[in-house]
Amino acid sequence: MPSDKMLHIPTPDGRSDAFAAFPDGGGRHPGVLMYADGFGIRPVLREMARELAGHGYYVLVPNFFYRQGPAPVIELPEYIGEEARPAVLAQLMPLIVAHTAERTLRDADAYLSFLTTRPEVAAGPVAVTGYCIGGLLATRTAAAHPGQVAALAAFHAPVSADGPGAFADITAQTHFGHAESDLTPEALAELDQALDAAAFDYTSEIYPGTTHGFTMSDTDAFDSVGLKRHWNRLLPLLDRTLAGSR
């Protein structure tokens, strides 16, 4: 079983609490910065980080809402069903709106600096991955650190929110896995046109039959086939790009 711990990351605006999972038994492992969805660090995210750590990675999951307090920043039900969702989102949306691109990039500098100096993390490039709003943060991070981020993966994420120019500086091998309910085929074609113009190595696909949030087993959106497809895309991507860091 992987080991895990809670950590605190110094940032220009304070200290961000974070969850880390990594292989047991010592040694140094490729680093992965994982951004949670808007609901934040909770049991399902810890499980996903541990799952990834079990494949040989050091996984750091920061609380990007740390300015409002430690995770969970709002009280979450054990299962975020349709009845609970509106009230939860009403509390979260102001935090999401306040988390500007400028904040994202200040934090990304701090998170990557912290990750790459951990004694358990191997020298070399890292990966960034994220879910929902976390996928947008991962995309911004990869664009801001092209020499350091070798792999980018985002799932059911508004990756085009910053416009087509946001992809221009990405050099990471990239996978975008979209929920069917989030993106029409026409919107996918438009996104892929922007990705083609940015000229980096990517795959971008709609996961059939999925709705927004399909990777999260504590929500009504969860789709086990979609989650499996996510792992089938993410793990080979990391293996290809971070093998030299093992």
Side-chain angles (χ1 to χ4, degrees):
M1 286 292 291
S3 299
D4 59 66
K5 61 173 71 169
M6 292 299 297
L7 299 166
H8 289 92
I9 303 172
T11 79
D13 296 333
R15 290 205 314 163
S16 171
D17 49 311
F19 178 78
F22 45 93
D24 223 348
R28 302 178 76 194
H29 311 278
V32 179
L33 177 61
M34 177 186 283
Y35 288 105
D37 61 359
F39 298 130
I41 301 171
R42 58 196 193 283
V44 68
L45 258 297
R46 293 187 182 95
E47 287 168 21
M48 292 178 81
R50 289 189 196 103
E51 170 99 7
L52 189 50
H55 291 274
Y57 300 98
Y58 183 103
V59 185
L60 182 68
V61 189
N63 168 28
F64 52 84
F65 291 144
Y66 68 89
R67 293 170 181 84
Q68 284 73 38
V73 292
I74 67 166
E75 189 174 342
L76 290 172
E78 190 174 324
Y79 185 83
I80 308 166
E82 284 308 307
E83 287 186 10
R85 191 178 181 90
V88 170
L89 288 178
Q91 292 178 274
L92 284 175
M93 285 311 296
L95 308 187
I96 292 171
V97 170
H99 197 73
T100 59
E102 183 187 10
R103 278 188 179 183
T104 301
L105 297 183
R106 282 207 308 274
D107 289 348
D109 290 347
Y111 296 155
L112 288 175
S113 295
F114 184 85
L115 175 63
T116 54
T117 54
R118 301 306 300 164
E120 306 92 342
V121 175
V126 300
V128 291
T129 184
Y131 304 89
C132 182
I133 186 63
L136 176 60
L137 306 188
T139 302
R140 289 172 173 169
T141 300
H145 296 270
Q148 190 171 17
V149 176
L152 162 64
F155 302 91
H156 47 84
V159 294
S160 56
D162 294 338
F167 305 119
D169 294 327
I170 293 175
T171 59
Q173 289 190 37
T174 297
H175 175 72
F176 292 148
H178 312 288
E180 190 172 346
S181 67
D182 281 348
L183 215 59
T184 64
E186 294 75 21
L188 178 65
E190 191 175 323
L191 170 61
D192 289 353
Q193 189 174 9
L195 298 175
D196 287 338
F200 61 92
D201 185 358
Y202 77 90
T203 55
S204 171
E205 62 178 314
I206 292 172
Y207 286 26
T210 57
T211 59
H212 182 72
F214 62 82
T215 58
M216 298 296 153
S217 62
D218 61 351
T219 74
D220 287 344
F222 178 62
D223 183 274
S224 60
V225 175
L227 178 63
K228 186 169 188 290
R229 190 185 189 103
H230 141 280
W231 288 119
N232 288 343
R233 298 295 188 268
L234 178 59
L235 294 173
L237 172 66
L238 299 184
D239 193 47
R240 286 195 308 273
T241 53
L242 302 183
S245 301
R246 291 189 184 280

